[in-house]
Amino acid sequence: WPPTGPAAVKSKGLAGPVAMELRDRIRQNLTHVIDLFHEWDHDKSGTVSKREFRIVAASLGYESRRDVVDQLFDSLDPGLSGVIQ
């Protein structure tokens, strides 16, 4: 996963412990992410949409404001295509 450390989070406009916590939880589960990606891809499009990502964040036990989760999603979607591949 390209973002690493607090500087990467801040460089994408995601300052603060909330975004870092979600990033860390995903990173801790990275070995499972590829398998889970297919599970998270509810519509089987081969991508995870922002809506699907919000569901994923909640399933990882992360509760935060929608805009914070959306900012994290946007940091993983550098082209702002609306999906993560």
Side-chain angles (χ1 to χ4, degrees):
W1 167 334
T4 58
V9 172
K10 288 181 183 178
S11 72
K12 298 292 186 177
L14 297 173
V18 174
M20 290 177 64
E21 179 184 344
L22 179 56
R23 186 208 60 218
D24 290 343
R25 284 184 187 221
I26 292 171
R27 181 174 287 145
Q28 289 169 0
N29 291 291
L30 193 55
T31 58
H32 304 286
V33 168
I34 294 171
D35 293 333
L36 291 174
F37 183 90
H38 299 289
E39 185 178 322
W40 299 341
D41 179 17
H42 297 131
D43 64 4
K44 304 302 179 204
S45 64
T47 62
V48 173
S49 68
K50 191 175 284 192
R51 180 183 160 282
E52 291 168 327
F53 186 77
R54 289 182 196 122
I55 294 168
V56 168
S59 75
L60 291 174
Y62 181 75
E63 297 180 23
S64 184
R65 294 184 343 228
R66 182 177 179 161
D67 65 319
V68 173
V69 174
D70 287 352
Q71 284 180 350
L72 180 58
F73 177 90
D74 290 344
S75 77
L76 300 171
D77 177 23
L80 299 178
S81 65
V83 296
I84 301 170
Q85 297 180 326

